[in-house]
Amino acid sequence: MTQTDRRRKRAYQIMALVTACCVFMAFIETVVEPAYAVKSAVKAVVFLLVPLIAARTAGVRLSSPAFRLDGKGVARLLALGFSIYGVIFAGYVLTKNLFDYAALVESLSADQRVNADSFAGVAFYISFCNSFLEEFLFRLVAFVQLSRYASRKTAYLFSSVLFAVYHIGMIGTSFPPVLLVLALAGLTAGGLIFDCVDHKNGTLYNSWTVHMFADFAIMTIWYLHI
């Protein structure tokens, strides 16, 4: 087997692994629908432990330099995060008279079995833990690792589109058609942005920060209508 063939095989293996993780998790969330704590634990296993085990089996290290943080970059990351928060919340303010966000939140809360009493815990998990799990799978595995064996264009396209499709699968029934299309486009663009900020040094802290602050904004909007 030539070097090119080995690289292609490894790229296909990564793509198959990430796709399988997403399909399995989508099945758990939309068909099995366990309690939120159980679902969160399953996602940690599927999005984190399974790729780690697969990487170890293949003799690949995922831990470095993905978690290397430059102390001087913390302020830049926070500035980027607050900027993302501002952009998303501004978008909400500009469109709140065009879409019925209250009805959307009501439907989403029912789908996710979230109420005013459980919102704080769910918001914390989504913003900090869930964002990390998704960045680990979609950015570190589906983008950083895949780009080592496939073209950068392929890694960008695969990770961002799968990121969007996975989320639409989770929330699609809660969104009206027009907002669904906008959400798909926005999630794909968001995935591309996450890829871009991790492109330079291969660390997760860039995209995780952006993802966290994007979730902070979404949780703020959710809280305003719950």
Side-chain angles (χ1 to χ4, degrees), residues 85 88 105 108 119 213-223:
Y85 181 98
I88 294 176
V105 166
L108 190 59
F119 176 78
F213 277 86
D215 283 343
F216 290 157
I218 294 171
M219 293 304 104
T220 301
I221 297 167
W222 195 341
Y223 178 75

Side-chain angles (χ1 to χ4, degrees), residues 12 26 51 57 61 65 68 73 81 103 110 117 123 131-132 151 156 167 169-170 172 178 189 196 200 206-207 226:
Y12 288 152
T57 302
R61 292 188 62 185
R68 187 178 301 158
D117 294 331
S131 60
F132 172 79
S151 68
Y156 268 112
H167 283 85
M170 301 303 100
V178 174
C196 285
K200 184 176 181 180
N206 295 323
S207 61
I226 196 166

Side-chain angles (χ1 to χ4, degrees), residues 22-183:
C22 291
V23 171
F24 180 81
M25 198 61 222
F27 174 79
I28 294 297
E29 294 201 34
T30 60
V31 178
V32 179
E33 296 184 322
Y36 202 90
V38 174
K39 179 175 66 176
S40 302
V42 172
K43 189 167 186 175
V45 172
V46 175
F47 275 34
L48 180 62
L49 292 184
V50 169
L52 283 173
I53 293 171
R56 185 176 181 83
T57 302
V60 177
R61 292 188 62 185
L62 296 179
S63 58
S64 180
F67 302 106
R68 187 178 301 158
L69 178 62
D70 178 6
K72 295 180 180 179
V74 172
R76 178 180 58 81
L77 287 175
L78 291 176
L80 177 62
F82 280 112
S83 297
I84 293 296
Y85 181 98
V87 168
I88 294 176
F89 196 78
Y92 158 71
V93 171
L94 292 173
T95 60
K96 65 180 181 179
N97 293 326
L98 300 176
F99 299 107
D100 188 354
Y101 282 98
L104 177 60
V105 166
E106 182 179 355
S107 177
L108 190 59
S109 297
D111 286 346
Q112 298 299 317
R113 301 179 185 179
V114 177
N115 54 41
D117 294 331
S118 63
F119 176 78
V122 171
F124 179 88
Y125 166 78
I126 289 176
S127 299
F128 291 97
C129 304
N130 185 70
S131 60
F132 172 79
L133 293 175
E134 293 187 358
E135 288 311 298
F136 186 89
L137 183 71
F138 291 110
R139 240 55 61 192
L140 180 58
V141 180
F143 177 68
V144 175
Q145 288 296 320
L146 181 59
S147 63
R148 295 178 178 177
Y149 305 102
S151 68
R152 186 77 68 174
K153 180 179 180 180
T154 297
Y156 268 112
L157 185 64
F158 175 75
S159 59
S160 60
V161 170
L162 192 60
F163 175 76
V165 171
Y166 167 75
H167 283 85
I168 290 300
M170 301 303 100
I171 62 177
T173 57
S174 302
F175 278 51
V178 174
L179 200 56
L180 184 64
V181 173
L182 291 176

